[in-house]
Every structure is written in structure tokens, then in C-alpha cells.
Amino acid sequence: MQVPFRSPWDSLMIWGFDRQASRIGGDRVLTLTSMLRKAVISRIGTEVPAQVSGHGADGRTHVGYLALPDVGHRHADGHLLGLALAVPRDMPAEEWKRLVRAVVSGEGALTRLTWSGRSTGLLYGHDPRRRGLSPETWRGPEGGACRWVTATPLVTDGMPRKGRAIESLVVKSLARVGYPEPVEVAVSAAPLLEGAVWRPRAGSMPQGRPRRPMVHVRVRFPRPVVGPVIAGSLRYLGLGLFVPERTA
């Protein structure tokens, strides 16, 4: 039996949206993850850990700010179910505790997010009635999964050039994070999964970013991978988020 590869992100801290709120479209992914990042940093206050802010992390994996879409079932429509923090496996214990105290257990615990003139209630923890808010949905089975597909589009870490196919850019993006090189790669301009987010809303991309290919991807790794699987140049803001592909 193959030993699974374990993601650079170890755990997921998940907030579901208040079910009384109106549905939020998946195209709002970057708007919500950008505001989530600001909210987390503001609650920590001074001396924000480098892996939380992304500044000065010296090549280490950063916290991933994610928006979780409704995907992977017959009636999935891609609306956002909630938000999550993907915590790096190598994050020092004391910094991890500071993060938890700031957003979950402290006086300023994250219970509401304000964005684009709207205010949305947040409920921390797993709601068993909503599969998309379960960590296992995004981490996959305990023994890992070989087949993964994007729930949000992946922005490649480079530009195509003559003689280099877009598939090689996807492989590069996965390798940059440390995942095994896939043995199969399928790339599409359109989603390959029910409910997958087609594209972020126009105008929501971070300013100053170079324009790079944005694609949906299906991969098969040579060994099982325990997620979350997140790749590409906007992985820390929730693009390039994969989910294990269900075979049944």
C-alpha cells in the first residue's frame, strides 16, 4: 500500500455563512478571501506571523484564505457555503495558538465579515448537514486520493511560450507547492466539476498581478495525496482549490 503524500497545509479552520443570509455567488471568491485575510490580520494586531501575512515567510507555506463553493453533486451551483483558513503544516505551535486565539476564542473572534457594503454572519465549526463545510471534503479520505479536480480556477505560475503546453504550466504550479508530479493532466477553459466556479468576478483580481492563464484542471497523481490541494499563483487567496474526484 502506498504511503500518501501529505499537503503542506495540515488543518482547515472553517466558518459557514449564516443560513439566513442571501446566497453569495462563487464569482465573489476573491472579494471574500481578500476581506477574510484583512479581517484575520487586523484581529492579530501587532507582530503578525509571517505565514499569516505572507510577508517575510522566507519560502515557507503561507496560510491559505479560502472560499468554499458548493460543488461535486448533481444540483451543485457553485454558491459559496463559507470560508476557511488552511494552516501550514510547518507553522510554529505558538503562532498557531495566536491565530486561534485571535479569530476563534478571543474577544474579537471572527463572527461577521463586511464586504462590498454587505455584512455576513459567520458560524465557526463543521455543520454536518452541509458536506461542503466538512474538512474531509477538501482533505479527502484518510488514505488520500489520486484523482483531484479544481473547484476554483487555477492561475498558472508562468506564461505559455512556444514549445511549452499549458499542461506543463499546471505541472509546474503543482510542483512549486511540493505535490508529486501528476501522471495525467487535463486542462479546460470551462469547469470540469459540477458547480465549480467558472471565473472570479470582473474587477476582483488583485491589482498589479501579471495576466496569466486561468484554467480548470483534472489531475491524477502517481500516489495518493491527502489535501487540501491548492496550487497556482493565487493559491493563498483561494484560486486553484481542488477537491478529490468522486468515482462513484
mmCIF file of all heavy atoms in Angstrom, residues 48-66:
data_model
loop_
_atom_site.group_PDB
_atom_site.id
_atom_site.type_symbol
_atom_site.label_atom_id
_atom_site.label_comp_id
_atom_site.label_asym_id
_atom_site.label_seq_id
_atom_site.Cartn_x
_atom_site.Cartn_y
_atom_site.Cartn_z
ATOM 1 N N VAL A 48 2.282 40.371 13.401
ATOM 2 C CA VAL A 48 1.544 39.319 12.693
ATOM 3 C C VAL A 48 2.538 38.277 12.175
ATOM 4 O O VAL A 48 3.524 38.619 11.527
ATOM 5 C CB VAL A 48 0.750 39.922 11.511
ATOM 6 C CG1 VAL A 48 0.030 38.824 10.730
ATOM 7 C CG2 VAL A 48 -0.240 40.956 12.017
ATOM 8 N N PRO A 49 2.339 36.995 12.462
ATOM 9 C CA PRO A 49 3.249 35.960 11.968
ATOM 10 C C PRO A 49 3.406 36.032 10.452
ATOM 11 O O PRO A 49 2.432 36.271 9.730
ATOM 12 C CB PRO A 49 2.583 34.652 12.407
ATOM 13 C CG PRO A 49 1.781 35.034 13.610
ATOM 14 C CD PRO A 49 1.279 36.429 13.322
ATOM 15 N N ALA A 50 4.622 35.802 9.985
ATOM 16 C CA ALA A 50 4.915 35.923 8.552
ATOM 17 C C ALA A 50 4.057 34.984 7.715
ATOM 18 O O ALA A 50 3.640 35.327 6.610
ATOM 19 C CB ALA A 50 6.400 35.654 8.305
ATOM 20 N N GLN A 51 3.772 33.797 8.236
ATOM 21 C CA GLN A 51 2.974 32.852 7.456
ATOM 22 C C GLN A 51 1.499 33.230 7.399
ATOM 23 O O GLN A 51 0.761 32.718 6.567
ATOM 24 C CB GLN A 51 3.143 31.431 8.011
ATOM 25 C CG GLN A 51 4.502 30.837 7.673
ATOM 26 C CD GLN A 51 4.714 29.497 8.335
ATOM 27 O OE1 GLN A 51 5.007 29.431 9.525
ATOM 28 N NE2 GLN A 51 4.567 28.424 7.583
ATOM 29 N N VAL A 52 1.080 34.140 8.274
ATOM 30 C CA VAL A 52 -0.291 34.647 8.225
ATOM 31 C C VAL A 52 -0.398 35.793 7.223
ATOM 32 O O VAL A 52 -1.323 35.847 6.412
ATOM 33 C CB VAL A 52 -0.760 35.105 9.619
ATOM 34 C CG1 VAL A 52 -2.129 35.786 9.546
ATOM 35 C CG2 VAL A 52 -0.809 33.914 10.577
ATOM 36 N N SER A 53 0.564 36.712 7.276
ATOM 37 C CA SER A 53 0.532 37.871 6.380
ATOM 38 C C SER A 53 1.082 37.559 4.999
ATOM 39 O O SER A 53 0.723 38.192 4.010
ATOM 40 C CB SER A 53 1.328 39.021 6.989
ATOM 41 O OG SER A 53 2.713 38.712 7.017
ATOM 42 N N GLY A 54 2.001 36.588 4.937
ATOM 43 C CA GLY A 54 2.677 36.291 3.670
ATOM 44 C C GLY A 54 3.912 37.126 3.443
ATOM 45 O O GLY A 54 4.630 36.921 2.458
ATOM 46 N N HIS A 55 4.203 38.048 4.339
ATOM 47 C CA HIS A 55 5.371 38.917 4.192
ATOM 48 C C HIS A 55 6.514 38.399 5.054
ATOM 49 O O HIS A 55 6.366 38.248 6.265
ATOM 50 C CB HIS A 55 5.024 40.355 4.604
ATOM 51 C CG HIS A 55 3.900 40.958 3.819
ATOM 52 N ND1 HIS A 55 3.915 41.026 2.438
ATOM 53 C CD2 HIS A 55 2.712 41.493 4.207
ATOM 54 C CE1 HIS A 55 2.793 41.604 2.017
ATOM 55 N NE2 HIS A 55 2.049 41.886 3.064
ATOM 56 N N GLY A 56 7.658 38.112 4.410
ATOM 57 C CA GLY A 56 8.823 37.654 5.147
ATOM 58 C C GLY A 56 8.763 36.205 5.572
ATOM 59 O O GLY A 56 9.420 35.817 6.543
ATOM 60 N N ALA A 57 7.998 35.384 4.865
ATOM 61 C CA ALA A 57 7.880 33.973 5.249
ATOM 62 C C ALA A 57 9.058 33.138 4.767
ATOM 63 O O ALA A 57 9.139 31.940 5.074
ATOM 64 C CB ALA A 57 6.576 33.389 4.719
ATOM 65 N N ASP A 58 9.974 33.736 3.994
ATOM 66 C CA ASP A 58 11.224 33.068 3.576
ATOM 67 C C ASP A 58 10.996 31.718 2.917
ATOM 68 O O ASP A 58 11.614 30.711 3.269
ATOM 69 C CB ASP A 58 12.165 32.889 4.784
ATOM 70 C CG ASP A 58 12.566 34.213 5.417
ATOM 71 O OD1 ASP A 58 12.723 35.195 4.672
ATOM 72 O OD2 ASP A 58 12.700 34.263 6.648
ATOM 73 N N GLY A 59 10.083 31.688 1.966
ATOM 74 C CA GLY A 59 9.844 30.473 1.201
ATOM 75 C C GLY A 59 8.937 29.463 1.873
ATOM 76 O O GLY A 59 8.613 28.423 1.291
ATOM 77 N N ARG A 60 8.504 29.714 3.104
ATOM 78 C CA ARG A 60 7.600 28.788 3.776
ATOM 79 C C ARG A 60 6.166 28.960 3.244
ATOM 80 O O ARG A 60 5.808 30.010 2.731
ATOM 81 C CB ARG A 60 7.628 29.018 5.287
ATOM 82 C CG ARG A 60 8.949 28.623 5.962
ATOM 83 C CD ARG A 60 8.918 28.963 7.439
ATOM 84 N NE ARG A 60 8.885 30.414 7.633
ATOM 85 C CZ ARG A 60 8.498 31.000 8.761
ATOM 86 N NH1 ARG A 60 8.063 30.273 9.775
ATOM 87 N NH2 ARG A 60 8.516 32.308 8.875
ATOM 88 N N THR A 61 5.369 27.931 3.410
ATOM 89 C CA THR A 61 3.969 27.975 3.003
ATOM 90 C C THR A 61 3.215 28.995 3.851
ATOM 91 O O THR A 61 3.407 29.073 5.061
ATOM 92 C CB THR A 61 3.329 26.587 3.179
ATOM 93 O OG1 THR A 61 4.064 25.642 2.389
ATOM 94 C CG2 THR A 61 1.877 26.579 2.737
ATOM 95 N N HIS A 62 2.356 29.787 3.212
ATOM 96 C CA HIS A 62 1.539 30.771 3.930
ATOM 97 C C HIS A 62 0.192 30.151 4.314
ATOM 98 O O HIS A 62 -0.206 29.120 3.773
ATOM 99 C CB HIS A 62 1.243 31.991 3.051
ATOM 100 C CG HIS A 62 2.446 32.640 2.466
ATOM 101 N ND1 HIS A 62 2.356 33.642 1.526
ATOM 102 C CD2 HIS A 62 3.774 32.445 2.684
ATOM 103 C CE1 HIS A 62 3.563 34.026 1.180
ATOM 104 N NE2 HIS A 62 4.444 33.316 1.857
ATOM 105 N N VAL A 63 -0.504 30.830 5.199
ATOM 106 C CA VAL A 63 -1.907 30.499 5.446
ATOM 107 C C VAL A 63 -2.686 30.719 4.149
ATOM 108 O O VAL A 63 -2.493 31.723 3.450
ATOM 109 C CB VAL A 63 -2.489 31.382 6.567
ATOM 110 C CG1 VAL A 63 -4.012 31.264 6.630
ATOM 111 C CG2 VAL A 63 -1.879 31.005 7.915
ATOM 112 N N GLY A 64 -3.541 29.775 3.815
ATOM 113 C CA GLY A 64 -4.397 29.928 2.647
ATOM 114 C C GLY A 64 -5.760 30.455 3.066
ATOM 115 O O GLY A 64 -6.371 29.935 4.007
ATOM 116 N N TYR A 65 -6.219 31.510 2.392
ATOM 117 C CA TYR A 65 -7.533 32.108 2.670
ATOM 118 C C TYR A 65 -8.487 31.597 1.599
ATOM 119 O O TYR A 65 -8.334 31.922 0.412
ATOM 120 C CB TYR A 65 -7.423 33.633 2.665
ATOM 121 C CG TYR A 65 -6.492 34.135 3.744
ATOM 122 C CD1 TYR A 65 -5.134 34.311 3.503
ATOM 123 C CD2 TYR A 65 -6.961 34.385 5.027
ATOM 124 C CE1 TYR A 65 -4.269 34.731 4.504
ATOM 125 C CE2 TYR A 65 -6.105 34.825 6.039
ATOM 126 C CZ TYR A 65 -4.760 34.988 5.761
ATOM 127 O OH TYR A 65 -3.910 35.398 6.766
ATOM 128 N N LEU A 66 -9.456 30.801 2.005
ATOM 129 C CA LEU A 66 -10.279 30.062 1.056
ATOM 130 C C LEU A 66 -11.752 30.430 1.169
ATOM 131 O O LEU A 66 -12.250 30.754 2.247
ATOM 132 C CB LEU A 66 -10.142 28.551 1.301
ATOM 133 C CG LEU A 66 -8.729 27.990 1.426
ATOM 134 C CD1 LEU A 66 -8.797 26.492 1.713
ATOM 135 C CD2 LEU A 66 -7.914 28.262 0.170
#
